[in-house]
Amino acid sequence: MFGKHLFPGGIHPAEGTNGKAVNQRNAITELPAPKRVVIPLSQHIGAPAKAIVKKGDRVLMGQMIGEAGGFVSAPVHASVSGIVADIVPVTMFNGSEITAIVIENDFRDEWAPLDAPADPESLSPAETLQRIRQAGIVGMGGATFPTAVKLTIAPDKHFEKLVINGAECEPYLTADHRLMLEQADAIIDAVSLILRIFSVPEAIIGVEENKPDAIDALRRAASGNPAIRVQALPVRYPQGGEKQLIHALTGRTVPAGKLPIETGCVVMNAGTAFAVHEALREGKPLIRRVTTVGGLVAKPNNWLVRIGTPVRELLRASGGTQKGTRTLISGGPMMGTAFTEIDIPVTKGCSGILALGREAIDPEESPCIRCGRCMRACPMNLQPVRMDHAIRARRFDEADKLGVMNCIECGACTFVCPATRMLTQSFRAGKRIVTIRRNQQKAREEAEKAALAAKAAAEQSKTDGKEA
Amino acid sequence: MQHNLAITPSPHVRSGATTRRIMQDVCIALAPAGIASVILFGGHAAVIIAVCVLTCVLTEYVYQRLMNQRVTAGDWSAVVTGLLLAYNIPANAPIWIPIVGSVFAILIVKQLFGGIGSNFMNPALTARAVLFVSWSSIMTAYPNTVFMTGGVDTVSSATPLAALGKVFTGAEGASLADVGLADLFLGNCAGVLGETCKLALILGGIYLFIRKVIDWRIPVCMIGTVAVMYLLTSGFNAELTLKELLSGGLMLGAIFMATDYATSPQTNLGRIIFGVGCGLLLFVIRAYASYPEGCSFAILFMNVCSPLIDRWTAPTPFGEVKQHG
Ligand code: SF4
Ligand code: SF4
């Protein structure tokens, strides 16, 4: 029923208060736009956007207010109509400071003229990429890699399969579930358009089997297009990891250190596909997204929220956090980011806001008992104990050899560890250091090469001089 | 509402598994065999068990206090060591035997090698081996059970293993009928106090399996290998093979000691190799070394190999091309 490809390891994290079971029944509700939106210029991986408006300007909803700052970048758009009140640095979920454009909402929701293509089916690939790029679309599962860049296929690679990630394997999160259920036609439309425009023979939509209604809705919507297959997947975290998903759906394995396109696959989140539909059919840029609010809140929900809405508003609309809340998280509990400042705006990659209790406080570490659970849980087939030992002993070359760079930081090893060791946390640090050391090594080698070349040149000129 | 918010790195949830819970599960799994030992060998078995457990926990506590280390004596792992050591001592041993053994197990084998998880040989088994070599007359004086003629105060003249060994080598007058299958299974036979009741040990093993504390690989491979070897070398004598499996320390060793995390491999393949290795060694010692009991030594030897086995069988990262080195 699931196909025969299981990725290694994997875990079954339990849901807490107001998890999927509750929230999957809550239909997507539009959150009224706030008085002010705060739109960071960098909500994606890559160069930040450059502001193209100034304080005092009147902007319209959907108007581009920051243009892409490079090839790997994405523009940002006004999510309300109103006046640019300020351009200031704000602190983001991960603690970084990013310049943001603050817009005072005039509550008229006046759209900028939308440039919808007359016939999206006949768009060329280049035009399509241009439109996706101009719409500011980035991976909405949380990775926030610019979608147009992902869809730009190097000439020596083949785009054979479009893989739509509807796994939503993180506990609590139900935003994609509701979107796939309520907007199945739109998602399938985006998939069909991409297949057609980029001449891709096949699309596979992977959805964990705990969302049977979404699977049905997608299957119904896709029934007219034999090139699209909706595949139920076992419930197993991290089923939605790119490499794990590709393996589960196609049996292909992405080579270590390589991108999915090596297997002919491009992976796109279901929410991203919906954004592509809006961009190609209606010419609308990405100014809203669905965000789950769950955990210790009075009224958990799936909100359709304007980008730039402060988290405070989301929490307020969800009835506020309840007693016992110890951590706020942007994203899911396995890979999300803890934050404290609730005026942080919702960004393109924010799939959920969760209020978690005591369970989110890290217990004290105790000595490793060498039980091997971490190894069994690792979806990348790594050896967390050995990597952790190496990193803590500052033997970074050994950690590198053990494959720490393959770690996707999914958290499965930390989750299962009975000695409550901070394994993922150690790998995150280890990866950073290994990267720095690799770069230094490269720089050293290059410097050596340059020195050798200079020496050779000098000797050459000496002999040349003698000959003369 | 912003009070007391904590910033911690992901993941933000845990499975709830703890070392203590795992060790408690092992203790629960060991309980039936302990109860059986008291029924079979009387109150002195209970005394030995209590002395071992107390001495182990106390030694760990005192050592950690003296060394200014974090005290982990409450994690129940010393209780497990104490139980296992007690189960490896004859029920009528003098009281200083469990004390010396426990101090040795915790102090030398466990703590001096870095504490829980860092020891490379099983503490209880190592202590047993040391006691065995140092005071072998005490350690091999297996009492009869209360249900046998003479009772606990008499030392058994022949263990089932010795009797079976004679059958295996075709000694004159030896007969399989001398060893009753039901007695072996229920524990009504001579041996160290915790190893005789196979029923209790197997129940404990099933509990550990259900609780996912151990997986099937080491016990099944170890017991299976012994079975295959006996079948092959005895001309497929099923009765002899079955009785061999139910004799001596095989069940206790395969279920509770070979599966010790710190001293056995972590990889699936490694665990299979380890189990088969233990089984082979046990068979060779039992069948050819004229040693009363090969189980402890077989496991100890494989303990030493286990880091190597882990290295050989290390998994290849997902997406990495298999390479050896
Ligand atoms: S965090 Fe890294 S090492 Fe741990 S399970 Fe995930 S991929 Fe494996
Ligand atoms: S799960 Fe924890 S205790 Fe078990 S081997 Fe891994 S690090 Fe050690």
Side-chain angles (χ1 to χ4, degrees), chain A residues 194-454:
Chain A
I194 294 172
L195 291 189
R196 188 189 173 95
I197 293 168
F198 292 91
S199 323
V200 180
E202 189 189 10
I204 316 173
I205 306 181
V207 186
E208 279 193 348
E209 53 156 347
N210 56 2
K211 309 180 232 313
D213 48 354
I215 294 172
D216 284 348
L218 288 168
R219 285 205 172 126
R220 227 174 296 124
S223 57
N225 191 338
I228 304 177
R229 181 156 64 87
V230 181
Q231 174 82 57
L233 295 168
V235 179
R236 200 153 67 107
Y237 179 86
Q239 190 61 263
E242 264 191 350
K243 296 181 176 185
Q244 285 70 26
L245 187 69
I246 289 173
H247 188 71
L249 294 176
T250 69
R252 299 177 183 180
T253 305
V254 182
K258 293 284 167 50
L259 294 172
I261 192 65
E262 295 291 324
T263 61
C265 298
V266 169
V267 183
M268 184 184 281
N269 173 268
T272 314
F274 179 74
V276 167
H277 159 85
E278 289 211 304
L280 296 184
R281 287 288 170 192
E282 299 167 43
K284 277 188 189 166
L286 174 51
I287 59 165
R288 301 179 302 181
R289 70 154 298 139
V290 183
T291 298
T292 297
V293 180
L296 295 171
V297 292
K299 286 180 290 180
N301 206 352
N302 300 293
W303 296 103
L304 179 64
V305 28
R306 310 275 176 116
I307 303 295
T309 304
V311 168
R312 181 189 293 278
E313 302 288 333
L314 265 182
L315 287 174
R316 183 183 296 155
S318 310
T321 54
Q322 293 174 322
K323 232 175 83 189
T325 299
R326 297 295 303 277
T327 305
L328 292 177
I329 287 158
S330 157
M334 293 301 295
M335 294 184 75
T337 315
F339 63 97
T340 50
E341 179 49 66
I342 63 168
D343 285 317
I344 292 178
V346 169
T347 52
K348 294 174 184 175
C350 178
S351 48
I353 297 290
L354 306 177
L356 298 185
R358 254 173 27 144
E359 74 275 16
I361 302 299
D362 285 322
E364 205 182 332
E365 288 187 312
S366 58
C368 165
I369 56 171
R370 284 200 270 176
C371 66
R373 282 175 172 74
C374 49
M375 201 180 69
R376 247 158 276 278
C378 179
M380 294 303 291
N381 240 348
L382 301 173
Q383 303 170 72
V385 215
R386 284 178 71 190
M387 298 194 314
D388 183 49
H389 278 308
I391 289 167
R392 290 191 201 217
R394 309 193 64 75
R395 295 194 304 265
F396 297 109
D397 290 336
E398 185 187 332
D400 194 1
K401 252 218 216 91
L402 287 167
V404 70
M405 294 308 287
N406 293 305
C407 169
I408 59 171
E409 298 174 30
C410 69
C413 51
T414 306
F415 179 83
V416 297
C417 177
T420 54
R421 296 185 70 73
M422 310 267 266
L423 299 167
T424 312
Q425 297 84 335
S426 142
F427 306 145
R428 208 174 279 130
K431 280 170 72 179
R432 252 197 311 267
I433 296 171
V434 168
T435 310
I436 293 170
R437 288 165 63 100
R438 280 185 178 182
N439 290 341
Q440 284 172 341
Q441 179 69 20
K442 217 161 64 211
R444 257 199 308 277
E445 275 162 16
E446 263 156 33
E448 261 165 42
K449 236 193 279 163
L452 278 179

